[in-house]
Amino acid sequence: MRAFLIGRWQPFHKGHLEIIKKISAEVDEIIVGIGSCQKSHTLTDPFTAGERMMMITKTLENYDINYYAIPIIDIDYNAVWVSSVESLTPPFTTIYTGNSLVRELFSERNYVVKKPELYNRTDYSGTKIRKKMLEGSAWEHLVPEEVVKVIEEIDGINRIRRLSEKDYDEE
Amino acid sequence: MRAFLIGRWQPFHKGHLEIIKKISAEVDEIIVGIGSCQKSHTLTDPFTAGERMMMITKTLENYDINYYAIPIIDIDYNAVWVSSVESLTPPFTTIYTGNSLVRELFSERNYVVKKPELYNRTDYSGTKIRKKMLEGSAWEHLVPEEVVKVIEEIDGINRIRRLSEKDYDEE
Amino acid sequence: MRAFLIGRWQPFHKGHLEIIKKISAEVDEIIVGIGSCQKSHTLTDPFTAGERMMMITKTLENYDINYYAIPIIDIDYNAVWVSSVESLTPPFTTIYTGNSLVRELFSERNYVVKKPELYNRTDYSGTKIRKKMLEGSAWEHLVPEEVVKVIEEIDGINRIRRLSEKDYDEE
Amino acid sequence: MRAFLIGRWQPFHKGHLEIIKKISAEVDEIIVGIGSCQKSHTLTDPFTAGERMMMITKTLENYDINYYAIPIIDIDYNAVWVSSVESLTPPFTTIYTGNSLVRELFSERNYVVKKPELYNRTDYSGTKIRKKMLEGSAWEHLVPEEVVKVIEEIDGINRIRRLSEKDYDEE
Amino acid sequence: MRAFLIGRWQPFHKGHLEIIKKISAEVDEIIVGIGSCQKSHTLTDPFTAGERMMMITKTLENYDINYYAIPIIDIDYNAVWVSSVESLTPPFTTIYTGNSLVRELFSERNYVVKKPELYNRTDYSGTKIRKKMLEGSAWEHLVPEEVVKVIEEIDGINRIRRLSEKDYDEE
Amino acid sequence: MRAFLIGRWQPFHKGHLEIIKKISAEVDEIIVGIGSCQKSHTLTDPFTAGERMMMITKTLENYDINYYAIPIIDIDYNAVWVSSVESLTPPFTTIYTGNSLVRELFSERNYVVKKPELYNRTDYSGTKIRKKMLEGSAWEHLVPEEVVKVIEEIDGINRIRRLSEKDYDEE
């Protein structure tokens, strides 16, 4: 059985890793969708799809998990989104999601929809981690070691800080 | 004389029907544009263009009204929107709208722009009807009988409720 | 039972009308898709979606046929095309098509696919009719009377002739 | 040396003119990007790209400035935006911007990024000028004389006022 | 009076210059549309819009011509193309074109359409000039001196030659 | 060092596998771009990106190769294509390609461009393999065993045969 899990992974953190490890124990193969793949260089979505692909691949190659990591573009057309995902992925029957829109769209197409079991939400949250990156607090312990390396390779912390500078507006 | 009336019809209700009946008494043919046709599956725009097309057609076939129902896609480019509407519709000279942007765009293209006469706004409002659907209050008396049947055929109330469930966020 | 029939209807001719009459005898409602709806003003696709909509509606209102006429945009992404059609139309279970790509796409989505029974292909052919329009031969007897009126209203024959003029190229 | 300066110029005002005059003293040629070129007919972006092009060209032809004025479309894909700008402009090495996202995107592509020196921000602000236009206060002294003429030619003040009318909602 | 002239200018040659000089004698301002602005790096369309903008601007600044040079994107939707052009340009009443589609689209919108007077088509032809560039024949005398400089600055001849190399296909 | 290799992989065959094995001996990581990812269901591009992703992943997991497989959408805008690829992939410095346009676009962005060493072109060719599939000749020995399984899972041979049926045209 193949299952699909979609997220934005901005960045990929240890909570994400735990979810994937749990799901992979239940399925043969897991497809990790990299959502909003065209977004990057904002405070909410700082990393490109390629950078997030690298975070996921580098981390998961340390585990015995059968997975595909696939960028998924946002389409502002809910009724065709499932078809678009299907064209980019191997066939699957189950989707893990906590998002009500994604659940509804896949339910109407007769997929089995499950909720992923979240892991320590107090610490492992993309929003909180990006906030720490911006403020200069420690964030490295919240993500896999390989993700730290990727963010260093791309100078990601400085990108986030520069993006947060106040606009000096010539409007 | 042909006239154009655009709306989102989420859902098509008795207030809409009254507007169309009044306009159809003044014109030879009325073109009913189904706006934001690519939107669906949100709390504000729950129904697809095809579902809204069915609501309008099933209702209007009980009346002696000469009409066209035509899906109109949103184009995020105001300056070409009138041309896009023109290419999808039979030629018309008059547009009924209460929206200031639509009025301005058609006025600059020399259309006659009129305001539709609204009918009992206290009861007949898409926003209020969608709220009742969500909360489980009675809504059926506010829409034509045929619209009730369409919403039942597509299990529309459950769609709205499922879309409103709280996200269980893996971010 | 609802059925879907898609065509370009450039222009809508008597062969098309016969197909629709035959299908409508077999189904409760027929959805007439106006394909390539964004195309117009070429020798192969001279008429806009709105003009074709008018040809079909004016003709069919003389018959006791339950139909929807709906513009369908070309999407250069085969794998999502069926979903896009579904979002724009009432639900249907059967599609009539002679096109192998359309047949394959709907078959893979478990639709019943039937071939429409063509009617006198020697005379009733869009290609041949457009050629007659261009050359100045008689074409009016090949299309329903209402289509002649629409083409006159929009000065369609002159459009086709002007589009065929040799380019005087400043390249 | 060529430099790039991007703005929305809604409308082009005397503060903008001062910025361009200062930059043009430092560079051989200045490329004036007309940003969000597909936007128009809203209270924030009332003027089309063509109208803004005319404001800039008419004004600058009174000065000895080597410039290009080029419409730049918004692309909702930050990672390719610099490439898109590059394809539309002559090659340049320096960009003047006060916007943190634009600065980051060009910095990552190794451009020299400078902040334009703003001029009397209390008076010269697009937001404030559009507010005056809407309220009927004097705004003409805040923009170059040629811009006043352009706005008169296109009846721009009435456009803004009509766009601000309250919607009479048939929702 | 303002007039519009559209071309691809691949590259801008002396025949083009003559056309513009003739038209500019008849009108107050000429708007030079740079068509297919998103195309580049093919044998038919080797130069980017920015490069063509530079060819035109550098050449015309030697003449007393009031002009605007404006990139125009291809839109695969004939019925809205005129509106799209209008949004990007100052208002104009006359268009010079030898292309039958462009003529028809603007005629239907009530523009005055004129044919530009071509100049020595035997020598001055984009197709022939690109062929000479590829084959290594002399082409420099067929374009304005400034265009030679632009093509040298961007190493344009080598681009064309590299693009013509035979594919070594891994299909 | 990371290298990028792009292809359409319609289907992935043993010649492709040999290319990847050779390149992987020279680099640390290889990024396999799945080109024209939005194309499927035609005789030239029968398989979806997801199906091609599965062919590649299933095959390569039998080898000790560090790779990423990433769908790449066609963008009809050559000048921004490299940026689009960069946003979807981990950073790389070398590209292997036999296509002159791809070579030119990456060369202008200062990438190292190499030609992949092809392997037995007489037998290993996508075009020839698709022809065999259509005609019913043996093709299975030309692709990796895992690719045979994928094509069986998706009933790919029948898809190709159905797509080749003659249209029965209602035009």
Side-chain angles (χ1 to χ4, degrees), chain A residues 2 29 37 48-51 53-54 57-58 61 66-71 73 86-91 153-154, chain F residues 2 29 37 48-51 53-54 57-58 61 66-71 73 86-91 153-154:
Chain A
R2 267 182 224 114
E29 298 186 331
C37 77
T48 70
E51 292 161 355
M53 170 74 77
M54 202 161 38
T57 304
K58 292 289 187 199
E61 71 194 11
N66 289 318
Y67 75 97
Y68 302 82
I70 300 182
I73 204 166
E86 289 171 339
S87 79
L88 292 167
T89 58
E153 177 180 344
I154 63 173
Chain F
R2 268 183 225 112
E29 297 185 331
C37 77
T48 69
E51 292 161 354
M53 170 73 76
M54 201 162 37
T57 304
K58 291 289 185 197
E61 71 194 11
N66 289 318
Y67 74 96
Y68 302 82
I70 300 182
I73 204 165
E86 289 172 340
S87 79
L88 292 167
T89 58
E153 177 181 345
I154 62 172

Side-chain angles (χ1 to χ4, degrees), chain D residues 2 29 37 48-51 53-54 57-58 61 66-71 73 86-91 153-154, chain E residues 2 29 37 48-51 53-54 57-58 61 66-71 73 86-91 153-154:
Chain D
R2 266 181 225 114
E29 297 186 331
C37 77
T48 69
E51 291 161 356
M53 170 73 76
M54 203 161 36
T57 305
K58 293 288 185 199
E61 70 193 13
N66 289 319
Y67 74 97
Y68 302 82
I70 300 183
I73 204 167
E86 289 171 340
S87 78
L88 292 167
T89 58
E153 176 180 346
I154 62 172
Chain E
R2 267 182 225 113
E29 298 185 332
C37 78
T48 69
E51 292 161 355
M53 170 72 76
M54 203 162 35
T57 304
K58 291 289 185 199
E61 70 193 12
N66 289 319
Y67 75 97
Y68 302 82
I70 300 183
I73 204 166
E86 289 171 339
S87 78
L88 292 167
T89 58
E153 176 181 346
I154 62 172

Side-chain angles (χ1 to χ4, degrees), chain F residues 60-72:
Chain F
L60 295 188
E61 71 194 11
N62 296 323
Y63 297 86
D64 184 27
I65 292 175
N66 289 318
Y67 74 96
Y68 302 82
I70 300 182
I72 304 288

